[in-house]
Amino acid sequence: MPSIKLLKGNHAAAYACKSARVGMVAAYPITPQSPVVEKISEFVEAGELPGTEFVKVESEQSAIAAVIAASATGSRVFTASSANGLAYMHELLPWAAGTRLPVVLCIASRALAAPWSVWTDHADVFATRDCGWITMFAENNQEIYDTVLTAYRVAEDPNVYLPAFCAYDGYILSHTLMPVQVEDIEKVDQFLPPLKHHINLTDFEHVKGVGPVTLPDPPDRGEYGYAPGYFEFRFSMQRSLEHSLSVIKQAHKEFSEIFGRSYGNGVYKTYKMEDAEVAIFAVMSVAAESRLAVDFLREKGIKVGLVSLKVFRPFPSEDLREIFKDISNVVVFDREIGYGWEGVLSYELKAALYKSSTQPDIKGYIVGLGGRDITYQQIAKGVQTALTMESVNENPIQTDFIGLQLDKLQFLKREGGY
Amino acid sequence: MIKKESNSMILDAEAHPLDSYLRPGRIPHIWCSGCSLGSITTVVIEAIIESEIDPKNIAIVSGIGCTGRAAGYLNFDSFHTTHGRALPFAIGLGITDPNRKVIVISGDGDIASIGGNHLIHAARRNADITVFCVNNFQYGMTGGQVGPTSYIGQYQTTSPYGNIEEPFNLPALAASCGATYVSRWTALDVRRMKESFVEALLHKGFSFVEILGACPTTYGRRNQLRDGLTILENFKNRTILQHGIDPMKAQIQKDGPIIVGKFVEIQKPTLTDNLLRLHKMAKNVKPEL
């Protein structure tokens, strides 16, 4: 029987690893991620995960290196981190993708230093954007459990073979208790078959070289023919990432059939979008709060809906063109900044809708950096303000912020900027 | 502030004599009740005063962790750097400004784990840095995970059935990598610690002092040492003072003796000396015309 447990977000991720029969875990402590691996080490040492090795490493960089290597021996692997810990893994993130190893990594999102902040902020997640990983988000603890399982299913698909992130808000989810249905392991096995690896370093009959040096042009290897150049490897990565969108949708469909829970179409979730004229576009904690803002604005007679993005890479541009085709205004709330430009979700959406047959006005706001609370009233006010603007695209580089408290800091006000 | 009134000194309750060394607005600190970091920080300040180094020339660099917070509380130029990276920041500071006294105050989780690589190379180069490394046997700030100084059999959140890995012997590590001043004290040895801190501060080259700290919250509670005082009493019962001993013989084991003392004090050219020598050599080379 599936059991309903009261779990913190971090522990929901740990239980998902248990359900997925993860073979190897390596991680390094960082707030707010640490309880994920504490729980896993507890499972391992209590004998509840007999087939799992837990390695205590000396840094995040060692953690990701260790799980990449373990993945190459055909083991299902897991690690987790936050903020600067994730940034410290960065050297090896493209390595995991380039070797096409299905590593799953949970991000308990946290602001990047300096200055230091341990609170939620999505900058660490979006900084990994171009590493070739699949990026998924969760809005609640059940979704964390479900997304980790889905991440393994998609990452290990032979037509994908790419690593995947499951990101959720530090503290807001990582340390908050919610009821989570932990599924029977047999049922999970049905959804998530054992890993069929493409690199198996424990196959001693065949010698393999992982991470070879490639050349600008395909080199002629004589009787073996041409070997791919770097360009071909990266082309294949991009095509697989594009293709993974349909794999994600299919996996999600099967997930909902087996477990009876679904998250939109597996790529984005909607709330009251059926008759909406205006839409909010957000992810994770901001999307969760926006649901309240939708109800609040609908009471005031504004037909608002929410599109909460679930998969950021691959970016589902066709889905977004479809869902926003009859929408007049999209208001985007980013809990991070693509510094020097605007919120990442905002500009990604603009790019996705470029030359779409009908184009909504897109207005972006920056909210809640470094854990500052963002309320549904603030989100609602942002939507209302955006609707009164004549043309929101007039000055695109001017980012607008909600929730700044500059008035408390008189000394900051200088001529010529901050 | 100390006021003089009719031949007797009265301590003004409004202020502490060392208040001017603490950054205004940063107190109260985050350290738990029973933690030894407060007394260690006091000893650091007293040692700085006794060393007579101009406070303006001092820079405090720390990494991440409970000990790393010291840089934020002390009223000197300071860098609160990323996890493990205190020593490379310190090297950058010291090289571009050789007149500065660069002090690294950080924990074992920072210096010996994620920053271990930097420790061995800073020691190898004999960089002009004083390191005060507070060893609380685990990662305290993140909730008590097992670390590279956790001894075999130690209970932590990631070793609920007892640690199985051999710990680092930090004085031996620093000495074998080339540190020219190495000592170890427990948090109880405040007087010896202060003398040693002054020596380390005035030492030319890489000086490394390990201080065994008392962390009741995430270490003590899990290891039958429930409060700060119990940990200090435990230190007292186990401490053996042995100056000049080969630090390889000072490994810490569960319930074993804790050997403290000054293990190494030698003179060698420092990184700054060597760089200045290189500059001189470069200046003496006459360009060919």
Side-chain angles (χ1 to χ4, degrees):
Chain A
M1 280 287 286
S3 58
I4 294 186
K5 292 180 189 296
L6 204 54
L7 296 180
K8 293 173 188 169
N10 280 333
H11 289 175
Y15 270 93
C17 290
K18 191 180 177 189
S19 300
R21 300 181 195 266
V22 165
M24 190 271 198
V25 180
Y28 188 75
I30 187 167
T31 303
Q33 161 273 144
S34 307
V36 187
V37 285
E38 286 177 0
K39 194 76 191 169
I40 294 174
S41 70
E42 192 185 310
F43 289 150
V44 171
E45 295 199 13
E48 293 179 41
L49 276 172
T52 305
E53 300 295 338
F54 178 67
V55 189
K56 293 146 204 160
V57 285
E58 64 286 345
S59 72
E60 288 87 358
Q61 202 181 31
S62 313
I64 183 79
V67 297
I68 288 172
S71 182
T73 66
S75 191
R76 184 171 284 160
V77 299
F78 178 80
T79 187
S81 200
S82 299
N84 285 61
L86 180 64
Y88 195 36
M89 288 182 172
H90 234 281
E91 183 199 28
L92 290 155
L93 295 179
W95 222 91
T99 41
R100 310 297 296 271
L101 290 164
V103 174
V104 171
L105 190 160
C106 274
I107 306 171
S109 76
R110 164 182 161 180
L112 284 170
W116 286 111
S117 163
V118 296
W119 289 276
T120 189
D121 182 303
H122 301 158
D124 55 351
V125 182
F126 286 101
T128 64
R129 191 190 62 178
D130 297 332
C131 292
W133 287 53
I134 291 163
T135 308
M136 299 186 184
F137 304 122
E139 267 185 75
N140 59 56
N141 294 357
Q142 181 71 56
E143 195 176 354
I144 294 172
Y145 177 87
D146 296 346
T147 306
V148 170
L149 296 181
T150 312
Y152 278 113
R153 164 74 186 254
V154 175
E156 293 172 3
D157 188 297
N159 291 318
V160 178
Y161 278 141
L162 283 167
F165 295 117
C166 167
Y168 51 89
D169 283 78
Y171 288 115
I172 293 177
L173 292 191
S174 72
H175 285 63
T176 310
L177 289 164
M178 289 181 197
V180 174
Q181 180 159 324
V182 177
E183 300 292 348
D184 285 339
I185 200 149
E186 294 75 23
K187 228 170 160 186
V188 176
D189 287 346
Q190 195 189 331
F191 173 68
L192 187 60
L195 167 63
K196 284 195 219 99
H197 35 68
H198 64 106
I199 306 175
N200 181 5
L201 295 182
T202 57
D203 167 14
F204 298 107
E205 295 295 313
H206 302 92
V207 177
K208 290 174 187 70
V210 184
V213 175
T214 54
L215 297 172
D217 290 309
D220 187 354
R221 298 277 190 236
E223 57 175 303
Y224 300 104
Y226 284 93
Y230 181 88
F231 207 174
E232 286 74 27
F233 273 110
R234 292 288 153 157
F235 162 81
S236 139
M237 228 170 92
Q238 164 69 1
R239 281 286 179 268
S240 301
L241 207 50
E242 287 168 3
H243 173 70
S244 69
L245 202 59
S246 61
V247 177
I248 294 167
K249 285 180 185 168
Q250 180 60 29
H252 177 261
K253 195 165 156 269
E254 283 179 39
F255 184 94
S256 56
E257 283 163 12
I258 295 172
F259 301 111
R261 288 186 297 278
S262 63
Y263 301 94
N265 64 351
V267 167
Y268 65 82
K269 295 162 281 181
T270 58
Y271 182 64
K272 299 196 177 169
M273 278 299 285
E274 295 74 23
D275 61 338
E277 290 160 7
V278 177
I280 297 172
F281 186 57
V283 297
M284 302 204 274
S285 52
V286 187
E289 193 69 22
S290 297
R291 289 167 195 270
L292 298 174
V294 167
D295 293 341
F296 181 75
L297 287 168
R298 280 195 173 251
E299 276 174 28
K300 293 182 182 295
I302 304 171
K303 285 191 173 172
V304 187
L306 164 75
V307 175
S308 166
L309 194 66
K310 173 137 186 75
V311 176
F312 174 68
R313 279 292 181 273
F315 200 70
S317 59
E318 275 184 35
D319 293 274
L320 295 175
R321 281 177 176 227
E322 179 60 28
I323 189 77
F324 291 130
K325 73 175 189 304
D326 298 323
I327 299 294
S328 62
N329 294 65
V330 183
V331 190
V332 190
F333 295 89
D334 274 285
R335 201 165 202 158
E336 77 333 281
I337 309 176
Y339 287 93
W341 189 220
E342 58 179 319
V344 175
L345 283 176
S346 180
Y347 71 65
E348 294 270 349
L349 181 65
K350 284 178 186 172
L353 300 189
Y354 177 65
K355 287 207 168 174
S356 163
S357 52
T358 58
Q359 283 203 344
D361 271 350
I362 300 172
K363 171 67 198 162
Y365 288 104
I366 307 299
V367 297
L369 300 191
R372 181 158 302 169
D373 199 20
I374 167 82
T375 64
Y376 71 89
Q377 292 97 329
Q378 286 173 317
I379 294 172
K381 185 139 188 276
V383 173
Q384 285 171 310
T385 311
L387 292 180
T388 60
M389 290 178 177
E390 295 237 327
S391 170
V392 295
N393 298 327
E394 213 165 59
N395 188 4
I397 199 149
Q398 180 69 51
T399 32
D400 279 335
F401 295 73
I402 295 178
L404 271 179
Q405 297 177 16
L406 293 178
D407 48 325
K408 289 182 182 167
L409 309 169
Q410 290 305 321
F411 68 90
L412 261 180
K413 290 189 177 162
R414 292 183 293 208
E415 268 179 50
Y418 294 94
Chain B
M1 192 62 78
I2 295 171
K3 281 189 210 161
K4 202 163 182 192
E5 260 180 39
S6 62
N7 296 331
S8 65
M9 307 282 272
I10 295 170
L11 198 62
D12 185 342
E14 293 293 304
H16 186 276
L18 301 179
D19 262 2
S20 60
Y21 292 91
L22 297 176
R23 196 160 281 167
R26 281 296 196 163
I27 304 296
H29 55 69
I30 63 151
W31 295 323
C32 309
S33 155
C35 172
S36 58
L37 279 167
S39 51
I40 294 167
T41 306
T42 306
V43 179
V44 170
I45 296 171
E46 286 175 344
I48 288 173
I49 296 169
E50 205 168 307
S51 72
E52 295 181 351
I53 299 169
D54 184 354
K56 289 198 185 80
N57 281 345
I58 285 175
I60 310 260
V61 185
S62 71
I64 293 299
C66 295
T67 313
R69 287 292 177 118
Y73 299 138
L74 292 169
N75 201 7
F76 302 96
D77 287 348
S78 68
F79 250 119
H80 188 190
T81 71
T82 59
H83 198 17
R85 250 42 73 191
L87 277 162
F89 271 85
I91 284 184
L93 263 176
I95 280 178
T96 51
D97 191 358
N99 294 324
R100 231 180 230 283
K101 178 67 218 175
V102 184
I103 306 168
V104 169
I105 307 177
S106 220
D108 54 310
D110 192 69
I111 285 176
S113 180
I114 192 166
N117 187 29
H118 310 311
L119 170 65
I120 62 177
H121 290 285
R124 174 180 64 79
R125 295 180 175 120
N126 198 25
D128 276 308
I129 297 167
T130 296
V131 179
F132 297 137
C133 176
V134 182
N135 174 4
N136 62 4
F137 307 103
Q138 34 97 41
Y139 297 104
M141 181 173 271
T142 47
Q145 294 81 11
V146 87
T149 48
S150 304
Y151 47 78
I152 292 176
Q154 185 179 320
Y155 299 105
Q156 294 301 149
T157 58
T158 49
S159 62
Y161 291 75
N163 178 37
I164 53 160
E165 294 178 21
E166 193 72 32
F168 264 135
N169 171 352
L170 293 180
L173 176 68
S176 65
C177 293
T180 46
Y181 182 99
V182 179
S183 68
R184 174 199 277 159
W185 310 100
T186 72
L188 194 65
D189 305 318
V190 283
R191 288 196 185 85
R192 288 182 188 133
M193 200 199 300
K194 189 173 87 180
E195 282 168 27
S196 182
F197 279 7
V198 175
E199 285 178 2
L201 288 169
L202 297 174
H203 179 82
K204 252 173 78 65
F206 192 77
S207 50
F208 182 90
V209 184
E210 180 188 24
I211 308 104
L212 304 180
C215 171
T217 308
T218 59
Y219 160 70
R221 282 188 306 146
R222 296 191 173 92
N223 292 280
Q224 295 81 48
L225 300 161
R226 56 180 299 164
D227 52 35
L229 199 59
T230 314
I231 300 176
L232 293 182
E233 274 176 345
N234 181 273
F235 284 158
K236 186 181 151 200
N237 296 335
R238 292 165 62 193
T239 298
I240 298 172
L241 177 67
Q242 278 187 308
H243 287 303
I245 192 179
D246 175 3
M248 284 301 281
K249 293 178 181 155
Q251 178 71 294
I252 295 170
Q253 283 164 347
K254 186 179 168 69
D255 303 327
I258 295 172
I259 295 171
V260 300
K262 179 165 74 185
F263 306 128
V264 178
E265 189 174 20
I266 50 172
Q267 296 297 329
K268 266 197 327 193
T270 68
L271 176 62
T272 318
D273 291 341
N274 291 335
L275 286 170
L276 290 174
R277 200 159 49 90
L278 188 72
H279 277 217
K280 264 190 195 154
M281 274 164 58
K283 275 178 195 158
N284 287 338
V285 176
K286 296 257 172 6
E288 283 181 37
L289 294 172

